Amino acid sequence: SAVISQKPSRDICQRGTSLTIQCQVDSQVTMMFWYRQQPGQSLTLIATANQGSEATYESGFVIDKFPISRPNLTFSTLTVSNMSPEDSSIYLCSVELGSSPYEQYFGPGTRLTVT
Amino acid sequence: AQKITQTQPGMFVQEKEAVTLDCTYDTSDQSYGLFWYKQPSSGEMIFLIYQGSYDEQNATEGRYSLNFQKARKSANLVISASQLGDSAMYFCAMREPGANNLFFGTGTRLTVIP
């Protein structure tokens, strides 16, 4: 398995501001994923982040709203820009370990509340 | 169409009893992976068990087992000897070839009663 940390663990932000969420992994991984979980809902993939290339966004998510960086094989950031109350969610990063068949491990999540 | 369907929004089980959480999936691929995750109130997603579509044996991990019925496209999670700490949301997920991400169901909230 992998040890994945996220910062911050939670935050309360005002509408119109931006928040950058960090995801750190204790081993080098090729694929990193960012998911959103709105209150009482399931997880929805925002984007896939590979090191050295632009992130690939899912339908309904755009780079201007959710810019992602992936500077190396152990780190990624997700920014939630120009926030509105609808962005209140848990944001989770996950990684795929090449040594395991398709297993994906998740970070502890960032619980965001926008007021 | 939904790729993963979990029809039980909530389930209750007596402590020390076994419980089955239902999951059906929809795919036309022959090769795919099925997963179960546990999400306690803290919000983290804890990987529980994995079943590959070509695995002949049902996956088991400690008190967790996956009842895989390929013809019926079901992948039910069985938790034996329930403990109070098992109270959480449980998500079934699938990965298809060519897609690196997981598709999640809507989850089942399990409550273990002392």
Side-chain angles (χ1 to χ4, degrees):
Chain A
S1 63
V3 177
I4 306 168
S5 60
Q6 283 186 235
K7 292 182 180 179
S9 58
R10 60 176 62 230
D11 208 342
I12 301 173
C13 301
Q14 293 192 341
R15 70 172 65 209
T17 63
S18 298
L19 177 72
T20 296
I21 302 168
Q22 300 178 5
C23 179
Q24 179 77 51
V25 189
D26 68 343
S27 58
Q28 294 185 339
V29 295
T30 303
M31 309 285 288
M32 294 183 78
F33 308 91
W34 286 98
Y35 288 83
R36 181 178 74 179
Q37 186 181 25
Q38 294 177 301
Q41 303 296 313
S42 187
L43 280 73
T44 302
L45 182 69
I46 297 172
T48 302
N50 291 338
Q51 194 269 333
S53 62
E54 294 288 328
T56 303
Y57 289 82
E58 297 299 304
S59 175
F61 298 96
V62 295
I63 187 171
D64 289 346
K65 175 68 175 177
F66 298 101
I68 288 171
S69 77
R70 182 79 202 275
N72 57 53
L73 291 172
T74 63
F75 187 78
S76 178
T77 67
L78 169 76
T79 299
V80 186
S81 304
N82 188 23
M83 288 184 284
S84 66
E86 292 71 34
D87 294 319
S88 297
S89 299
I90 299 174
Y91 292 85
L92 299 112
C93 70
S94 75
V95 303
E96 177 185 276
L97 298 184
S99 60
S100 302
Y102 303 124
E103 287 184 17
Q104 286 192 10
Y105 292 89
F106 284 80
T110 296
R111 194 180 295 268
L112 171 63
T113 302
V114 184
T115 60
Chain B
Q2 292 287 337
K3 288 185 179 290
I4 296 288
T5 301
Q6 295 180 254
T7 58
Q8 306 155 315
M11 289 283 286
F12 292 87
V13 63
Q14 203 75 37
E15 192 178 6
K16 300 181 184 178
E17 297 292 314
V19 63
T20 298
L21 306 184
D22 294 342
C23 172
T24 58
Y25 58 92
D26 181 26
T27 181
S28 57
D29 291 307
Q30 296 300 310
S31 177
Y32 49 88
L34 297 159
F35 305 76
W36 278 92
Y37 287 86
K38 172 184 177 182
Q39 187 179 43
S41 57
S42 57
E44 62 188 305
M45 293 288 286
I46 302 169
F47 168 77
L48 295 179
I49 196 167
Y50 165 81
Q51 179 85 43
S53 59
Y54 291 118
D55 294 341
E56 295 183 355
Q57 302 279 347
N58 285 343
T60 60
E61 290 286 348
R63 294 187 299 112
Y64 305 107
S65 61
L66 201 152
N67 184 0
F68 182 45
Q69 298 186 44
K70 194 170 183 177
R72 299 178 62 181
K73 293 188 176 179
S74 74
N76 299 338
L77 177 70
V78 180
I79 305 174
S80 62
S82 297
Q83 302 172 356
L84 295 179
D86 294 335
S87 294
M89 283 290 289
Y90 288 81
F91 290 95
C92 180
M94 179 175 67
R95 178 178 173 175
E96 297 174 308
N100 295 312
N101 62 293
L102 299 176
F103 296 97
F104 284 85
T106 52
T108 296
R109 181 172 296 281
L110 177 66
T111 302
V112 180
I113 304 168

